[in-house]
Amino acid sequence: MKKLFSNIKGDAFGGITAGIVALPLALAFGVSSGLGPSAGLYGAIFISFFAALFGGTSTQISGPTAPMTAVSMVVIAGIVAANDGDITKALPAILSVFLLAGLFQIILGIIGLGKYIRYIPYPVVSGFMTAIGLIILLTQVLPSVGYYPKEDIAYVSTFKAQAQEVILENILKEEAGEGILVLENFAETNRRGKLITIADINKESQTLAAKETSGALGAIKAFPRAIQHINWLELLLALGTILIIYGFKRITTKIPSTLVALVVMSGVAVGFGLDYRTIQEIPSGIPIPKWEIFTSFSLSSITPYIFTALTLSLLGAIDSLLTSVVADNMTKTKHKPNKELVGQGIGNSIAAIFGGIPGAGATIRTVVNINAGGKTKLSGMIAGIMLLVIMIGLGPIASKIPAGVLAGILITVGIGVMDYKGLKAIPHLPKDIKIGPVKLSSEVLIMIVVLLLSTFWNLVYAVGIGLVIASLMFMKKIGDLTAERSDVKSLKEESWADEFNFPENLKEEVFIKHIKGPLFFGSTSEFQALSQQIPDSAKTVIMRLGRMQYMDQTGLYAMEDMLQDLKKKNIEVLFINLLKQPKYMMERIDIIPEFIPETHIFKNFETCVKWIKENIKDIN
């Protein structure tokens, strides 16, 4: 506690500054997610406070971030679509998924997985981050030009036939659930159909129009129509915001340019009485827990999103721990990764209960906090309190912020979050794989696959596929390297120092094999060819295993198959310097002693040669 208040002045200034910087981003991420600006604020308030209080990085400022918001958008859109476009009906399931993601993070921290996050390959992270930037850019094109598909009457009307089909399907599902057989009681279906109003059809048509134009691909589809329906005022507000954000940085970086753009452009819009579109209303009272998460909880409604919740938790963990490393470098301290995950999980869990979107450690806000004097956890807690005070006192004023201004802010976020370092490295990475006539870099291939799949298909699956491809590429490389070092060669071509005095009269009958690396699934192909490469004159095979530190199940069965082949040919096999782990594996399936008795396992080459000299005649 004493340490917590050891830097009150610096932490207060750092926390207040970070809170002010977080305000426009929290509002923008909330709007972008689909839950509204208040959800972004609630996320920033609770994650910042509780992640700082329970986390393992003293100067970390947490809150909604671009990657977490992008994945949250997928969750929200999917659950809302499954609930007929009714966000109020979908909210309990949405927040349940966010709560589950927070609980997963707590579990990750408790079981100590924080230190393993760094093993995620860079090409996967690079492709994902660039995809996040593209998704934000593409999805903000429509609001930046003031085009909202749900409000385009001509476009919505094209979905009326499909809307009637969806409504009819829902009626049939209701009747099936009630045990009504449609073909036996079509009158009931007809009665329910007559209750459908034009307003119901229009509402379903709007939902289908919004669904068709959601996401990056949907935005591209809607772009030609958006160009024909530009709202020039909204476009000017967005462009003005972007120009101020980039231009003000050239004047000074002491005052956040994002905040300056928010205040100036909102002031212009309100001051001149412009007829602009505002963001959703921000509640000005104390945040209230959404108890319907628990009272309306349905396992079936969140089961399809369990993997997504786990992905959210892992993404938040990566995002936070990378920021922790940045903080360590700036403050010359050492964060506690597992404790940080627990803190982030607690913050995200509490934020979900109050209706906030999930978040993670935010690099820019953390850097601002440190530069402003923040040194302890108190700074992150103050940042959360600062946002709460702003919301309570300035909620009605913040509700007048133009939607175009937040779209402009998000466009700069999208541009900034892309991994330009990874993109610039593409021409210079070694081309180590060949697909048809084309040679490519395996790392570039992974990055492009993750980038395209994330942008135009599914963020969650894209990361999983990227990890699988990266793992396969890595295993192939290790297998190739191991195979190079484990080539089958004759004694004269490959002799170790202690083999030079091996009796000449035995060289035709004794074949020596050196295994110089782990025997695993990536290196078994060369090993399996051993029995075919043994000279016909060989009666005995010596296997020198002192450098085979590890054997997996694939390698184990490859060894068993080889020994069976050699046994059929009446070739005796001797092991030298068999290490503990491979021996344990062979004992589990009785390779030892069924194929290799203990008397055929030697500690060194000298004792093996001595045994051969004494027993070679018996072997023949």
Side-chain angles (χ1 to χ4, degrees), residues 347-375:
N348 278 314
S349 299
I350 295 174
I353 292 172
F354 282 88
I357 60 174
T363 305
I364 294 175
R365 280 159 267 178
T366 299
V367 170
V368 166
N369 174 44
I370 294 170
N371 288 337
K375 290 183 179 180

Side-chain angles (χ1 to χ4, degrees), residues 311-540:
T311 303
L312 259 177
S313 68
L314 289 171
L315 177 60
I318 297 167
D319 214 356
S320 300
L321 295 180
L322 287 176
T323 303
S324 296
V325 172
V326 173
D328 285 350
N329 291 335
M330 292 183 69
T331 59
K332 308 304 178 188
T333 56
K334 182 69 175 176
H335 73 280
K336 299 175 181 177
N338 294 319
K339 189 177 181 183
E340 181 62 30
L341 292 188
V342 172
Q344 292 291 333
I346 292 172
N348 278 314
S349 299
I350 295 174
I353 292 172
F354 282 88
I357 60 174
T363 305
I364 294 175
R365 280 159 267 178
T366 299
V367 170
V368 166
N369 174 44
I370 294 170
N371 288 337
K375 290 183 179 180
T376 74
K377 295 182 176 185
L378 187 62
S379 58
M381 296 162 67
I382 289 174
I385 294 170
M386 178 70 184
L387 287 169
L388 178 62
V389 170
I390 291 174
M391 190 192 75
I392 292 173
L394 303 177
I397 296 174
S399 297
K400 295 180 180 179
I401 294 172
V405 170
L406 291 190
I409 290 173
L410 283 168
I411 286 173
T412 63
V413 171
I415 294 171
V417 81
M418 291 186 194
D419 181 35
Y420 297 102
K421 181 180 178 182
L423 293 172
K424 288 177 182 178
I426 288 177
H428 310 292
L429 292 171
K431 297 177 180 179
D432 53 356
I433 60 170
K434 191 174 183 181
I435 301 177
V438 182
K439 291 192 74 177
L440 293 172
S441 163
S442 58
E443 296 196 348
V444 171
L445 177 65
I446 294 164
M447 188 188 77
I448 292 174
V449 167
V450 173
L451 169 59
L452 293 177
L453 292 181
S454 296
T455 305
F456 299 111
W457 182 43
N458 187 293
L459 284 162
V460 177
Y461 294 155
V463 171
I465 291 170
L467 287 172
V468 169
I469 296 174
S471 299
L472 290 174
M473 293 287 187
F474 171 76
M475 291 185 289
K476 183 182 182 302
K477 288 177 182 177
I478 294 298
D480 291 344
L481 290 172
T482 305
E484 285 177 14
R485 297 186 61 190
S486 302
D487 286 341
V488 178
K489 298 178 181 178
S490 67
L491 180 62
K492 291 183 179 179
E493 291 175 340
E494 183 183 21
S495 297
W496 288 359
D498 56 357
E499 298 168 3
F500 290 137
N501 296 323
F502 191 76
E504 287 290 335
N505 63 319
L506 295 179
K507 287 185 179 181
E508 293 299 319
E509 298 181 351
V510 178
F511 181 83
I512 301 177
K513 168 63 182 169
H514 308 93
I515 298 182
K516 297 180 280 186
L519 184 59
F520 71 116
F521 58 88
S523 64
T524 53
S525 58
E526 292 290 334
F527 180 83
Q528 287 168 335
L530 174 61
S531 57
Q532 283 76 38
Q533 296 176 7
I534 294 174
D536 294 336
S537 59
K539 302 297 181 182
T540 304

Side-chain angles (χ1 to χ4, degrees), residues 16-295:
I16 291 170
T17 307
I20 292 172
V21 171
L23 176 63
L25 294 174
L27 295 171
F29 287 138
V31 172
S32 176
S33 73
L35 290 186
S38 58
L41 268 179
Y42 292 158
I45 290 166
F46 292 106
I47 299 170
S48 179
F49 185 89
F50 288 103
L53 179 61
F54 295 105
T57 311
S58 298
T59 54
Q60 182 103 290
I61 303 294
S62 303
T65 63
M68 294 294 280
T69 303
V71 177
S72 299
M73 286 168 54
V74 175
V75 176
I76 294 165
I79 297 179
V80 169
N83 286 271
D84 304 320
D86 189 340
I87 196 164
T88 303
K89 184 179 175 183
L91 189 61
I94 292 169
L95 297 180
S96 295
V97 173
F98 293 162
L99 175 60
L100 188 61
L103 295 175
F104 276 145
Q105 281 187 320
I106 295 173
I107 294 170
L108 291 175
I110 290 174
I111 63 179
L113 287 184
K115 59 185 177 182
Y116 296 108
I117 297 296
R118 65 180 183 271
Y119 293 115
I120 293 180
Y122 177 78
V124 175
V125 177
S126 176
F128 182 81
M129 294 305 294
T130 302
I132 293 296
L134 279 175
I135 290 170
I136 292 173
L137 278 173
L138 291 171
T139 55
Q140 293 308 306
V141 167
L142 303 187
S144 68
V145 299
Y147 179 72
Y148 295 86
K150 288 176 68 172
E151 299 173 9
D152 185 345
I153 297 174
Y155 180 66
V156 169
S157 64
T158 63
F159 290 91
K160 283 188 176 179
Q162 188 180 346
Q164 292 181 40
E165 181 183 344
V166 171
I167 292 171
L168 179 58
E169 285 179 358
N170 290 336
I171 290 174
L172 296 176
K173 286 178 182 177
E174 286 178 7
E175 292 182 345
E178 295 170 13
I180 298 173
L181 301 176
V182 177
L183 297 179
E184 295 179 8
N185 189 10
F186 191 73
E188 175 62 20
T189 306
N190 191 43
R191 185 189 70 79
R192 297 189 185 195
K194 289 180 179 179
L195 297 176
I196 305 301
T197 64
I198 296 296
D200 294 329
I201 296 172
N202 287 336
K203 183 180 178 182
E204 186 62 42
S205 298
Q206 288 180 327
T207 301
L208 291 171
K211 185 178 180 181
E212 182 67 18
T213 55
S214 65
L217 195 58
I220 293 173
K221 290 179 183 177
F223 185 71
R225 194 169 185 88
I227 294 298
Q228 298 172 10
H229 297 79
I230 294 178
N231 183 317
W232 293 103
L233 175 58
E234 298 295 323
L235 179 58
L236 288 172
L237 287 171
L239 290 175
T241 302
I242 294 169
L243 289 173
I244 291 174
I245 288 173
Y246 288 123
F248 194 79
K249 288 179 180 179
R250 296 179 177 272
I251 300 172
T252 180
T253 56
K254 292 184 178 180
I255 302 174
S257 61
T258 305
L259 182 65
V260 173
L262 179 71
V263 172
V264 170
M265 294 308 296
S266 299
V268 168
V270 174
F272 286 93
L274 301 179
D275 184 21
Y276 63 91
R277 185 189 187 96
T278 62
I279 61 175
Q280 298 172 28
E281 185 177 352
I282 300 173
S284 57
I286 299 291
I288 300 173
K290 306 290 184 182
W291 298 119
E292 56 266 34
I293 297 177
F294 306 104
T295 58

